[in-house]
Structures are given as structure tokens and as C-alpha cells.
Amino acid sequence: MVTPIALIFMTQWMLLITQLCVGWHCTDSEILDSPIRNLRLNQWKMELSWMSSMNFTESNCSVTAGDFTVTVKARNMKCKFGNIMPPLHNGANLSVTAVNMNGTCTSIYRYIPQGVSGSAIENFSCVIYNVSLMNCTWQAGRDAPGDTQYFLYWQNPRHDDTMECELYIKDENGRNMGCRFQNVKIEPEKAYFLVNGSSKHSLIRFYDEYIWLYKIEKLMPPSNITVNCDEIKHDCIIQWQRPQIGHSNIDKCFKYQINIKYKDNPEGKRIYNYTKDKENSYTFPRPNMRNKYLLKMRAAGSSCLVSKAWGEWSAPVEFGNEAVISSSMWILLVVAFVTVLVTIIAILFCKRTGCWKAAFPQIPEPKNNLHGLPDANPELMESRIQSTASENEEIILVADILK
């Protein structure tokens, strides 16, 4: 019984080396059988090979996939297309043309991928980040059976070894929908990616693509960003080092974007945005000496085999001087001053118009009726008060005394 692993291996091998036969024609009518036979296509090596019963002085090969056609010269009955080989998952036309003294023979072949249409993966994409890590993702084919499982293989062009995914990313149903690779090295040639699938119900069509790895790299931000300000010249010198990448150590391969904002308004409109090409320093003329600023940078490829897309922003770098009085303090001082001024004006207005007396009436002082009376004998007053039997008599007595 064939195990699933063996089945996958056999299917993969059939995809890698495919024998093609469709038709041929020669200008020499005496040739009854095609001198070009056993045509084989090795997708991993990007190579087309054949056998021949005749010796030819010159031969070349062509591959047409969609609107894209590639032609290369043959050597020893082999054509190496290298990184100009088009993907074959949608089919292709291949031809071998050979010339000798007797005439020209052309063998034309049609490559038709096996599998159910619509079962191959869709929306395949990869990105390299943190110098040597790579993520690839895809979606299941629209017409793929529910039990379809996908497998990713890729080959670095400088190596013959084919690598399968190290760590698959699975969806909620356990289906492989992505892959993570480590220790990826970017080479100056296209890498070949192939995703095939397996199902108990039908044959799954493969998907392949040739990718420049440097084009899918997400660049790290510039490192060691420093800012030194000159209080006399009123400017600041910004310096940095190029992003770390694994396939180039040339500083002039990059361009940089500098973004500067006020610290007290980091979400507001940027006050400075500048693109610097190929150099690792810049002099920033400060518009305000009494402010702190936040600076961040990112990089993109300017030349060399470096991605032209802008990379990640760096962490903010703070520089400059704090203002003597911040804008918020100024607002508080203005509010306090206006409040005091309005209060003083209101008081003066009320005093002038009389509304102050109406709002705060004066409380009259009690009248002192005892003031100016002749001195009375305390002992006589006490004896009279004690001899009085009733409250009314006491009141009359006091009244008489007061008179």
C-alpha cells in the first residue's frame, strides 16, 4: 500500500521532470521520424532537455506562457532558462529548433498541467523581514475539495536542494494556508516556489512562481540614529547607519526618509519631511530653538539589488530644548489674567452704578440708649430690683431709672 508521504513524493517528482510530446515538422521531407525526442522539462533547474538521432550545428529553445516568450540557445541538447523562465501553472508552449546541413527541424510541444481547474492555490505572496525570516501565504483554490491539503516547496537558485516548508501556518480546519522560513539568504537570482496539493477526491493542480527575493524584503529601519544640535548655528546634525541586510554592505544602495514633528503634538501635522539619497547624515535647520522634536526614519533601495519599497519606521528619537513656558502654561496664564481683569471691572462698574449697595446692603448698628445717662448708684439699683415682686414692676423701675 502506498503511504501518503510516498504518494506526495511521487506526485512531486512527476511535476519536477515532465516528458512532453505533441508534434514536430522539418523542412527536409526525407526525414520520416522526428530527430528530436524525449523532451523533458525540469522546473527546479529551469532546464529543457531532449535526445536526438542527428547531429545539429545549432539549436535553440523557446517557452511561451501567456503573452510572455523566452528564447535561449541550446548547448549539448539542453536549454537553461535560468531566472527568465516563466511560471507554468497555466500551461505553456515549448519548442526546440535545430539546424544542420540538411535543413531545419522544429519540435513543438504543449505543456498542460494536470489537475482540476480551480483547485490550485490563489493569492500567493511572500515577504522577507528581520533580515533572514520569510513568510508566505495563500488561499485555497475556489474549486478545491474540502479535504485538500497544500504543500510548499522552494529552491534558492544557487543551490540544487529543494526545501519544503519548515513550519506551516494552518487555518481553523487544519489546512496549510501559509509557511514560515528561517535563515533565508537572498541571492542575485530568482528563487522558484511551487505549491502542490493532495486530495482523496481529485487531482490538485500545482501553482508555481519565480520571485526576486530582494524585491519582497521588508527593510529594517536605519540604526544608531543620533542628533547633535549646535546652539550657535541653530541647526542639528542627524547621523545614522544603513539598515541591516544580508546580501549587501554598500551604504549607497539606500535612500532615506526623515520625518520630524513637535514633541508636544506628535499626532499633528509633520513640520519636516525630507528624502535623503545615498548619504548617512543630514543637517536640520531648527525653526524654533525652544522646542523639543521627535524624529523617525525609514529606508528604501536606491540602487543595487535592494527593495525599492519603503521599509519600517524607526523608533522616535527625541532632541532639542524644552520651551521656557510651554503652550499649555501660556493658556493657563492667559485664562487666569482674563478672569482677574473681568472681576475687577465688574466690581468697579457696580460701585459706580450703585448695584453694589443693592447686592450687598449695609447692616445698621444697634443704638446705644445708655450712652450719656448720669451715673446711677449700683447698690440702690440692685436693692430696688430685688424688692420688686413682678416682672412688670421691674420693667417700670428700669424705665423710671432710665428716665
Side-chain angles (χ1 to χ4, degrees), residues 227-236 260-265 271 284 286-295 317-327:
V227 184
N228 297 309
C229 296
D230 191 325
E231 300 299 332
I232 299 177
K233 295 182 179 180
H234 296 177
D235 58 21
C236 297
I260 300 176
K261 293 183 178 182
Y262 288 116
K263 179 186 176 183
D264 57 0
N265 188 23
I271 63 170
F284 168 61
R286 284 187 293 174
N288 192 328
M289 295 293 295
R290 294 297 180 182
N291 265 297
K292 270 197 172 289
Y293 302 91
L294 292 178
L295 174 148
V317 176
E318 183 179 313
F319 70 97
N321 299 318
E322 289 284 5
V324 177
I325 300 180
S326 64
S327 58

Side-chain angles (χ1 to χ4, degrees), residues 111-293:
Y111 176 75
I112 302 175
Q114 302 298 309
V116 177
S117 177
S119 62
I121 64 165
E122 300 175 353
N123 299 325
F124 180 79
S125 64
C126 296
V127 61
I128 295 176
Y129 62 98
N130 288 349
V131 182
S132 62
L133 302 179
M134 181 170 66
N135 270 14
C136 295
T137 58
W138 59 83
Q139 294 178 351
R142 295 184 301 272
D143 300 325
D147 70 333
T148 303
Q149 185 62 282
Y150 294 103
F151 305 93
L152 170 64
Y153 302 84
W154 82 294
Q155 185 182 66
N156 212 319
R158 293 290 182 92
H159 307 282
D160 293 332
D161 295 337
T162 301
M163 294 172 285
E164 188 184 357
C165 174
E166 299 174 359
L167 178 62
Y168 282 108
I169 303 171
K170 300 180 180 293
D171 62 9
E172 62 277 5
N173 298 319
R175 179 182 289 181
N176 298 335
M177 291 289 105
C179 176
R180 293 189 178 98
F181 291 95
Q182 297 179 341
N183 302 320
V184 175
K185 185 177 181 181
I186 296 177
E187 301 286 357
E189 296 178 9
K190 285 184 178 179
Y192 181 63
F193 292 80
L194 183 143
V195 181
N196 63 13
S198 63
S199 170
K200 296 179 181 178
H201 304 286
S202 60
L203 184 62
I204 305 302
R205 184 170 293 187
F206 75 92
Y207 175 90
D208 65 336
E209 187 171 346
Y210 296 87
I211 298 177
W212 292 102
L213 294 185
Y214 78 88
K215 290 186 177 181
I216 63 172
E217 182 177 17
K218 188 73 171 178
L219 293 178
M220 299 287 288
S223 59
N224 298 330
I225 302 173
T226 59
V227 184
N228 297 309
C229 296
D230 191 325
E231 300 299 332
I232 299 177
K233 295 182 179 180
H234 296 177
D235 58 21
C236 297
I237 299 177
I238 305 169
Q239 294 179 309
W240 62 89
Q241 292 182 359
R242 63 173 179 82
Q244 182 182 1
I245 59 176
H247 59 284
S248 178
N249 58 0
I250 303 175
D251 289 341
K252 293 185 178 181
C253 289
F254 302 91
K255 61 182 178 181
Y256 304 93
Q257 190 173 34
I258 304 171
N259 182 285
I260 300 176
K261 293 183 178 182
Y262 288 116
K263 179 186 176 183
D264 57 0
N265 188 23
E267 302 300 327
K269 184 178 180 181
R270 60 180 179 266
I271 63 170
Y272 198 78
N273 196 36
Y274 183 79
T275 300
K276 186 72 174 177
D277 192 16
K278 298 184 179 181
E279 296 185 12
N280 290 31
S281 66
Y282 179 72
T283 301
F284 168 61
R286 284 187 293 174
N288 192 328
M289 295 293 295
R290 294 297 180 182
N291 265 297
K292 270 197 172 289
Y293 302 91

Side-chain angles (χ1 to χ4, degrees), residues 271-383:
I271 63 170
Y272 198 78
N273 196 36
Y274 183 79
T275 300
K276 186 72 174 177
D277 192 16
K278 298 184 179 181
E279 296 185 12
N280 290 31
S281 66
Y282 179 72
T283 301
F284 168 61
R286 284 187 293 174
N288 192 328
M289 295 293 295
R290 294 297 180 182
N291 265 297
K292 270 197 172 289
Y293 302 91
L294 292 178
L295 174 148
K296 59 182 182 179
M297 296 182 62
R298 61 180 180 176
S302 175
S303 59
C304 313
L305 297 180
V306 180
S307 173
K308 302 299 187 293
W310 288 108
E312 300 287 346
W313 285 105
S314 66
V317 176
E318 183 179 313
F319 70 97
N321 299 318
E322 289 284 5
V324 177
I325 300 180
S326 64
S327 58
S328 58
M329 184 62 69
W330 274 113
I331 294 174
L332 292 176
L333 291 176
V334 171
V335 171
F337 176 76
V338 171
T339 303
V340 173
L341 182 61
V342 170
T343 303
I344 294 174
I345 293 175
I347 294 174
L348 294 176
F349 177 77
C350 288
K351 283 189 174 183
R352 186 176 182 84
T353 59
C355 63
W356 182 269
K357 292 182 179 181
F360 304 99
Q362 186 176 3
I363 300 176
E365 296 182 359
K367 186 177 181 181
N368 189 0
N369 292 326
L370 299 177
H371 182 70
L373 291 177
D375 294 337
N377 190 344
E379 296 179 357
L380 180 60
M381 183 179 293
E382 183 178 358
S383 62

Side-chain angles (χ1 to χ4, degrees), residues 7-120:
L7 180 61
I8 294 171
F9 179 80
M10 291 171 60
T11 304
Q12 182 66 20
W13 182 253
M14 291 175 65
L15 288 171
L16 295 184
I17 301 179
T18 308
Q19 185 172 355
L20 312 169
C21 290
V22 173
W24 62 275
H25 68 272
C26 294
T27 56
D28 190 345
S29 59
E30 294 182 0
I31 300 179
L32 301 179
D33 192 12
S34 172
I36 301 173
R37 61 186 185 275
N38 294 336
L39 188 70
R40 294 181 181 272
L41 175 66
N42 190 319
Q43 293 172 248
W44 294 112
K45 293 184 177 181
M46 307 173 196
E47 179 182 275
L48 188 64
S49 62
W50 66 91
M51 298 180 65
S52 176
S53 59
M54 299 178 60
N55 294 326
F56 293 96
T57 57
E58 182 181 351
S59 56
N60 56 61
C61 310
S62 296
V63 177
T64 301
D67 297 330
F68 187 69
T69 301
V70 178
T71 301
V72 297
K73 287 186 176 296
R75 183 178 180 181
N76 297 327
M77 291 182 288
K78 290 182 180 179
C79 285
K80 290 184 175 292
F81 292 92
N83 54 31
I84 60 175
M85 182 81 172
L88 302 174
H89 58 269
N90 289 323
N93 289 322
L94 301 96
S95 65
V96 176
T97 301
V99 180
N100 63 10
M101 297 178 59
N102 297 323
T104 302
C105 283
T106 300
S107 294
I108 303 173
Y109 302 87
R110 173 64 181 165
Y111 176 75
I112 302 175
Q114 302 298 309
V116 177
S117 177
S119 62

